[in-house]
Amino acid sequence: MSRMSMMPILQIGNVLVSPDIITEMFCCDLDVCKGICCVEGDAGAPVSLEEIGAIENMVDSVWDDLSASAQSVIDRQGVAYTDGEGDLVTSIVSGKDCVFTCYENGCCLCALERSYRMGRSKFVKPISCALYPIRLKEFDTGLIGINYHRWDVCKAAVEKGKALGLPIYKFLREPLIRRFGMEWYQELEEVAEQMLHSSEPSPDSDFAPAV
């Protein structure tokens, strides 16, 4: 077993960080996956009440980008619903597609993010979407846990991340700062550097190469 796989959960502020977020490589490859993460699954993206309000305020700006089926779902139940586990999630079409999916050149895109990038709205998309493949869990104690969610549809993203040498925490720099703040992220960077440095074998260790 490698030293990296034996590393414990890290705590930065009130956030419990899985070491995988530092050691594993990841970079979305839309040309390969075609945005399938917005389509596959059995529930919508987790959202907060504040995010639901922001989405409701921008529905008009994305309405024409949505499918007729998605428009019908939103008319009937709104932009979000409570799933079987009691969590608020974005509404879905046909049991899987997020209502805010849209398509361009064969790729599934987020209509919310597209509207934001076109300057038509100020809300990007739910933080749960922006943070993927990180999954976030809030505990009653006030602590927050962030873990790496492995999914076979993201195989190309893992391969691209490895080719670029891009760890998850660097790939998700902007959404992590959006959720936890710049000061927290800078501390994460410092911890990551210390952690990776300490995992390197020293000349006197049993891991030193034979001469």
Side-chain angles (χ1 to χ4, degrees):
M1 184 177 292
S2 69
R3 289 187 181 188
M4 301 295 271
S5 63
M6 296 173 62
M7 288 182 174
I9 297 295
L10 309 168
Q11 182 167 353
I12 302 175
N14 69 328
V15 184
L16 302 176
V17 181
S18 167
D20 289 350
I21 290 169
I22 294 172
T23 61
E24 298 297 318
M25 305 294 148
F26 195 97
C27 182
C28 286
D29 194 340
L30 191 59
D31 290 337
V32 176
C33 74
K34 307 298 183 183
I36 195 170
C37 63
C38 294
V39 177
E40 293 297 325
D42 56 6
V47 285
S48 65
L49 287 173
E50 183 179 357
E51 288 176 325
I52 291 173
I55 293 171
E56 289 175 339
N57 289 335
M58 65 177 294
V59 166
D60 289 344
S61 72
V62 301
W63 190 256
D64 292 339
D65 295 328
L66 308 181
S67 68
S69 296
Q71 292 173 349
S72 177
V73 170
I74 293 173
D75 280 338
R76 185 173 66 255
Q77 71 175 34
V79 301
Y81 70 103
T82 302
D83 68 8
E85 297 181 357
D87 298 320
L88 289 171
V89 295
T90 56
S91 294
I92 54 177
V93 179
S94 302
K96 59 177 186 177
D97 301 39
C98 174
V99 290
F100 294 108
T101 56
C102 62
Y103 292 85
E104 184 176 296
N105 299 323
C107 288
C108 177
L109 304 176
C110 174
L112 301 176
E113 183 175 10
R114 186 183 185 191
S115 177
Y116 171 82
R117 296 193 181 284
M118 293 175 66
R120 299 189 315 207
S121 60
K122 295 183 179 180
F123 179 75
V124 190
K125 59 183 176 182
I127 192 63
S128 64
C129 299
L131 281 173
Y132 197 79
I134 286 178
R135 284 279 176 82
L136 182 151
K137 181 177 179 59
E138 297 187 14
F139 300 97
D140 294 338
T141 58
L143 293 174
I144 300 172
I146 56 175
N147 295 287
Y148 170 33
H149 179 251
R150 290 173 171 81
W151 196 5
D152 57 359
V153 302
C154 293
K155 181 179 179 180
V158 174
E159 293 175 351
K160 185 175 181 179
K162 288 179 179 178
L164 296 173
L166 187 65
I168 295 171
Y169 79 96
K170 288 187 177 181
F171 171 64
L172 294 176
R173 180 180 186 276
E174 290 186 12
L176 282 169
I177 290 173
R178 172 184 161 193
R179 177 61 179 83
F180 299 112
M182 177 60 80
E183 185 176 345
W184 182 90
Y185 185 81
Q186 289 174 337
E187 186 173 349
L188 174 65
E189 285 185 309
E190 292 174 4
V191 170
E193 288 300 317
Q194 294 170 5
M195 182 174 129
L196 295 174
H197 179 72
S198 66
S199 70
E200 296 175 356
S202 65
D204 298 326
S205 74
D206 294 334
F207 295 88
V211 178

